[in-house]
Amino acid sequence: MAASSRAQVLDLYRAMLRESKHFSAYNYRTYAIRRIRDAFRENKNVKDPVQIQALMNKARRDLGIIRRQPVFTKVKKE
């Protein structure tokens, strides 16, 4: 994996963990953090650039979902 690719993957990983900490419900928060860590560990040995790009695209979509989710949970509580 190229150095820039590695940096992008780490930035994405950190962003996903950081955003997951905004979940107000403990169970959602711990589940999200566990799933993110497991998914990145599971794919840490992927070498194919095409597959890496596909995984990063999926992670970016998931990050968007994570960023929107706390907004939806706040709306339900009001």
Side-chain angles (χ1 to χ4, degrees), residues 12 15-17 19-20 23 32 35-36 39-40 43 54-70:
L12 188 56
M16 292 180 81
L17 288 177
E19 291 296 324
S20 294
F23 285 118
R35 282 293 300 133
I36 292 165
F40 275 81
N43 294 306
L55 290 166
M56 286 189 60
N57 289 338
K58 181 183 181 319
R60 285 187 191 107
R61 283 192 308 270
D62 292 345
L63 177 59
I65 292 169
I66 291 169
R67 284 185 172 152
R68 286 189 304 269
Q69 196 59 41

Side-chain angles (χ1 to χ4, degrees), residues 10 43-44 57 74-75:
L10 289 174
N43 294 306
K44 74 178 182 179
N57 289 338
K74 287 179 185 175
V75 170

Side-chain angles (χ1 to χ4, degrees), residues 17 27 29-39 41:
L17 288 177
N27 286 338
R29 187 172 52 247
T30 56
Y31 175 75
I33 291 169
R34 186 176 69 240
R35 282 293 300 133
I36 292 165
R37 286 181 178 153
D38 289 348
R41 280 185 192 137

